[in-house]
Amino acid sequence: MIRNNPKPPPRSTTQQYDDWASKYDVETASYGWCAAQKVIEAAGTLLPPSKGIRVLDIGVGTGLSTEPYVTARGKVVGLDIAPEMLATIRKKGLRYERLAEYDLANPLSSAGIKPGTFDLIVSSGTLHFSKDLKAT
């Protein structure tokens, strides 16, 4: 009798992004992924990076979308589901106002985010994970 090996359970989104964190910047650049750059360009036309600007990055990943705001000494808060992505930001030496673990399945208030707190909110490659954007 031949037995089929059961498929291993799928890795969670958190596990997948944790595993990818240390290679994320290099791998995404290698296949021409430019969403972070497009976010920077679009956000910069609305509100250029400057000192003191308050920015929320939902799904901050390794910080690619908000690095110019951090460099300009903006007050940037980064939220991400993967602790290793946040650790990668810290290893880069980027000084975010706050970095916190956050799952889009929960309202932003669960991360201590209050309406009207930020001048700019950005997200790149993340919102499709939300089951209810209105509640997020």
Side-chain angles (χ1 to χ4, degrees):
M1 172 181 222
I2 298 175
R3 287 183 154 177
N4 291 330
N5 288 333
K7 287 184 180 179
R11 293 180 306 147
S12 72
T13 301
T14 303
Q15 290 169 324
Q16 290 175 29
Y17 279 91
D18 273 345
D19 292 346
W20 198 13
S22 65
K23 305 171 285 236
Y24 185 85
D25 291 357
V26 171
E27 285 187 10
T28 55
S30 75
Y31 55 79
W33 186 79
C34 62
Q37 185 59 37
K38 296 295 182 187
V39 167
I40 292 167
E41 290 169 11
T45 62
L46 296 170
L47 203 55
S50 61
K51 184 178 179 181
I53 191 170
R54 298 166 304 165
V55 181
L56 173 63
D57 189 343
I58 302 170
V60 67
T62 61
L64 295 175
S65 293
T66 44
E67 197 167 326
Y69 290 92
V70 174
T71 303
R73 296 182 30 210
K75 296 181 178 190
V76 183
V77 172
L79 305 177
D80 203 278
I81 196 169
E84 287 303 313
M85 289 288 193
L86 301 174
T88 299
I89 291 173
R90 291 182 185 101
K91 288 175 192 170
K92 288 180 175 182
L94 297 173
R95 296 192 175 252
Y96 279 71
E97 180 86 4
R98 180 175 154 225
L99 292 170
E101 288 180 47
Y102 169 70
D103 184 342
L104 275 172
N106 302 309
L108 283 169
S109 60
S110 70
I113 305 299
K114 296 177 182 158
T117 305
F118 297 93
D119 303 307
L120 179 68
I121 299 173
V122 298
S123 185
S124 175
T126 304
L127 296 179
H128 61 282
F129 287 111
S130 176
K131 290 180 172 67
D132 183 357
L133 277 177
K134 204 172 200 176
T136 298

